[in-house]
Amino acid sequence: MSEKWTVSEPQKITFGEPVHRVKVRTMAGAVNVVAGEGPARLEVSEVDGLPLEVALVDGELEISYEDLHWKDFQWKALGRWIEGLRQKRRAVVSLVVPAEVDVEIGSASSDAIVSGIAGRVHANSASGGLTLVRVSGQVDANTVSGAVEAHETSGGLKINTVSGALTVFAGTSGALKANSVSGAMTVDLDRPAAADVELTNISGEVAVRIPAPADAQVRADTTSGSISSSFDQLQVSGMWGAKRITGTLGAGTSRVKITTVSGSVAVLRRPDEDDAPQADTPQDATPLAIDFQKGADEA
């Protein structure tokens, strides 16, 4: 079965056919994909410039411009994304879909939010940010300068950025593998740590907070950046040039590996919940903030 729409003004569409896969390609604006009950629904609340083309074919829903394809949003084709910004295109797209759908998002500068999805999520962006909320499927995200935030995800994260920051909030579990050139990485691990974490950076600052009591093998290396640890069980070695943190916390059933060239590294201890001070708002409601100039002990 095949259905098609051309959207040149704000419009709402409810799809009669089940949706199993979603593909969204936009230039500027916003993309929101949320898991929900009932038939899949689309709301385009803003559309400027060229109209959006919407097609639902055999359960695959695609929202894009006529001249944009997924290959235009691949990691090696970033220059062509930015060239496309010369033509004014802006759209605000919101989707409610079944939780088990697979989601692909490609954008130049659209900010994207994906919430409650249990299928695979693949996102490519030049400068648009990506926020993941309670996503239990595997995530593969690539950005140039867009920031990535993960809240209570559990399916595993694979993140690549050039200068975009990565923030992983407490409550997130699953394997994490992230690479960046200069984007800061702030990772607040859940307890118990159930999967491996591997962070690689060139000049960006990296801060990882591990819950106590902890259960991880830890290794952090930097060629010329500063390094610090809040755990007595971890050994800090190297005074000049290359520095390293190594050691095992608890049974060491998971692995935390950090590698930078000139970026600062801080491995911090998050107190046990019973020891943490009581507050009206949850401690994990805000991201971990580290002042690398003052050192990890003050953080």
Side-chain angles (χ1 to χ4, degrees):
M1 184 179 294
S2 175
E3 295 182 277
K4 294 185 178 181
W5 299 261
T6 297
V7 180
S8 57
E9 59 185 15
Q11 185 173 346
K12 296 180 181 180
I13 300 172
T14 298
F15 302 101
E17 181 184 353
V19 173
H20 306 295
R21 186 180 184 88
V22 171
K23 296 181 178 180
V24 183
R25 320 274 182 261
T26 61
M27 298 303 292
V31 177
N32 306 302
V33 182
V34 180
E37 300 293 333
R41 319 184 277 285
L42 166 66
E43 179 177 359
V44 179
S45 55
E46 295 181 33
V47 56
D48 296 323
L50 294 179
L52 287 171
E53 301 294 332
V54 179
L56 178 57
V57 181
D58 296 331
E60 181 171 286
L61 175 62
E62 183 166 358
I63 303 164
S64 185
Y65 295 101
E66 186 177 9
D67 58 348
L68 280 184
H69 307 282
W70 181 248
K71 62 182 178 61
D72 299 321
F73 292 90
Q74 298 304 305
W75 187 243
K76 295 181 180 179
L78 301 177
R80 292 199 293 273
W81 302 10
I82 299 172
E83 286 295 318
L85 287 173
R86 294 179 180 178
Q87 298 183 23
K88 181 183 178 182
R89 307 185 194 190
R90 174 182 169 80
V92 177
V93 175
S94 299
L95 275 165
V96 178
V97 294
E100 63 273 11
V101 302
D102 292 335
V103 176
E104 288 185 2
I105 298 173
S107 76
S109 60
S110 300
D111 290 330
I113 297 175
V114 180
S115 178
I117 297 299
R120 295 180 64 88
V121 176
H122 189 178
N124 286 348
S125 174
S127 60
L130 173 64
T131 301
L132 304 159
V133 182
R134 293 185 297 277
V135 173
S136 56
Q138 174 69 41
V139 175
D140 184 353
N142 306 290
T143 80
V144 180
S145 59
V148 178
E149 293 187 0
H151 304 253
E152 299 181 38
T153 63
S154 58
L157 302 172
K158 182 180 179 182
I159 310 294
N160 294 293
T161 81
V162 177
S163 60
L166 169 65
T167 304
V168 177
F169 291 77
T172 293
S173 58
L176 167 61
K177 184 175 184 179
N179 298 276
S180 184
V181 176
S182 60
M185 295 177 172
T186 305
V187 177
D188 208 341
L189 299 181
D190 200 7
R191 179 166 62 88
D196 292 342
V197 173
E198 184 174 348
L199 308 175
T200 303
N201 211 316
I202 302 299
S203 60
E205 300 169 342
V206 178
V208 176
R209 189 163 68 170
I210 301 174
D215 185 12
Q217 299 177 44
V218 179
R219 175 164 176 166
D221 294 274
T222 181
T223 302
S224 59
S226 62
I227 202 164
S228 59
S229 167
S230 298
F231 287 91
D232 294 337
Q233 304 96 310
L234 300 180
Q235 180 180 357
V236 180
S237 59
M239 294 294 293
W240 307 102
K243 305 175 186 68
R244 174 176 294 174
I245 296 174
T246 55
T248 300
L249 303 173
T253 55
S254 61
R255 184 173 65 101
V256 177
K257 182 179 180 181
I258 305 167
T259 305
T260 79
V261 177
S262 59
S264 301
V265 177
V267 178
L268 308 176
R269 177 185 182 275
R270 189 171 81 225
D272 185 87
E273 294 179 359
D274 294 336
D275 299 332
Q278 299 298 314
D280 293 335
T281 56
Q283 294 293 314
D284 295 328
T286 55
L288 174 64
I290 302 299
D291 186 342
F292 284 89
Q293 300 300 318
K294 294 183 179 180
D297 290 339
E298 294 185 25

